[in-house]
C-alpha cells in the first residue's frame, strides 16, 4: 500500500502518517514514555508512535525499572518535566507507583504481559497498578499502548488552553460569542472557567470580569 509504514517492534501499521499527522500545539509539553525493561518495548513503542502520529512530542526513557532504581533516578528530571508520563511495566508492575510518587504530571500506567511465574500474563501487574498508593495514576488494560497514547493526547489537548486575551480588555459583556479567559489570579486562586454563554461574571472566581475581545 502506498504511504503505509509497518513497524516490526510495535506491530503498528500506519497509513498516511506524512500527510495526516496533527501538528504539535505550541507550549504543549511532551509525553515521556517510560519502560521498566527492554521486554516492554513493543507496547511502549505502540504508545510512543501513536503519540507521534497525533503530533505529540515524545521522549523515550527505556529500561529504568525498579530492579535498578538508580536508572530511573538518573532520568528523574526528564521524566519529571513531562506533561504526561506513560509508564509501561510487566512482572509485578511496580514502576508506575514509583514514578507517580516522583512526578506531578498525570501518569498513565500500562501493564504488559511480559513476565513469568505468578505474573499471570500481565494480570499481576494490572492489579498492582490498580492498587497503586500514588495519586494521579490512571491504568489502561494489559498491553494497551494505543489506548494509553489516546488518553495522553486527550489530557494534553484539553488542558493546553492558551490565554486568548488581547488588549484592551473590557469589563462590559460583549455578547454570547465571548469567552471568559483562562488566567492565574493574584493572589493565587483557581483558574477561571471558560464560558460560551452571555454575561457570566468571573468575579466570584476571584479573577474579575475580564472578557476576550
Amino acid at each position: 500500500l502506498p504511504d503505509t509504514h509497518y513497524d516490526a517492534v510495535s506491530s503498528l501499521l500506519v497509513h498516511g502518517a506524512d500527510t495526516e499527522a496533527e501538528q504539535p500545539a505550541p507550549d504543549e509539553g511532551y509525553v515521556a514514555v517510560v519502560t521498566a525493561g527492554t521486554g516492554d518495548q513493543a507496547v511502549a513503542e505502540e504508545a510512543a508512535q501513536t503519540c507521534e502520529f497525533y503530533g505529540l512530542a515524545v521522549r523515550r526513557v527505556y529500561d529504568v525499572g525498579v530492579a535498578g532504581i538508580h536508572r530511573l533516578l538518573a532520568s528523574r528530571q526528564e521524566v519529571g518535566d513531562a506533561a504526561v508520563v506513560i509508564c509501561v511495566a510487566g512482572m509485578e508492575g511496580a514502576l508506575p507507583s514509583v514514578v507517580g510518587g516522583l512526578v506531578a504530571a498525570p501518569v498513565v500506567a500500562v501493564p504488559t504481559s511480559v513476565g513469568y511465574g505468578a505474573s499471570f500474563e500481565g494480570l499481576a501487574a494490572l492489579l498492582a497498578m490498580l492498587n497503586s498508593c500514588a495519586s494521579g495514576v490512571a491504568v489502561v488494560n494489559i498491553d494497551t499502548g494505543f489506548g494509553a497514547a489516546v488518553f495522553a493526547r486527550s489530557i494534553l489537548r484539553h488542558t493546553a488552553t492558551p490565554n486568548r486575551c488581547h488588549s484592551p480588555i473590557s469589563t462590559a459583556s460583549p455578547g454570547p460569542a465571548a469567552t471568559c479567559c483562562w488566567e492565574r489570579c493574584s493572589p493565587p486562586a483557581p483558574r477561571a472557567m471558560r464560558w460560551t454563554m452571555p454575561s457570566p461574571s468571573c468575579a466570584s472566581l476571584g479573577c474579575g470580569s475580564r472578557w476576550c475581545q
Side-chain angles (χ1 to χ4, degrees), residues 183-208:
E183 59 181 342
R184 286 205 176 276
C185 307
S186 181
R191 287 191 177 188
M193 296 175 62
R194 293 183 69 242
W195 299 86
T196 55
M197 298 302 291
S199 303
S201 171
C202 297
S204 62
L205 296 174
C207 293

Side-chain angles (χ1 to χ4, degrees), residues 17-26 28 52-57 157:
D18 291 338
T19 57
E20 296 178 13
E22 299 178 12
Q23 296 301 312
E28 190 174 56
E52 289 170 339
F53 180 83
Y54 280 130
L56 304 179
R157 291 291 155 90

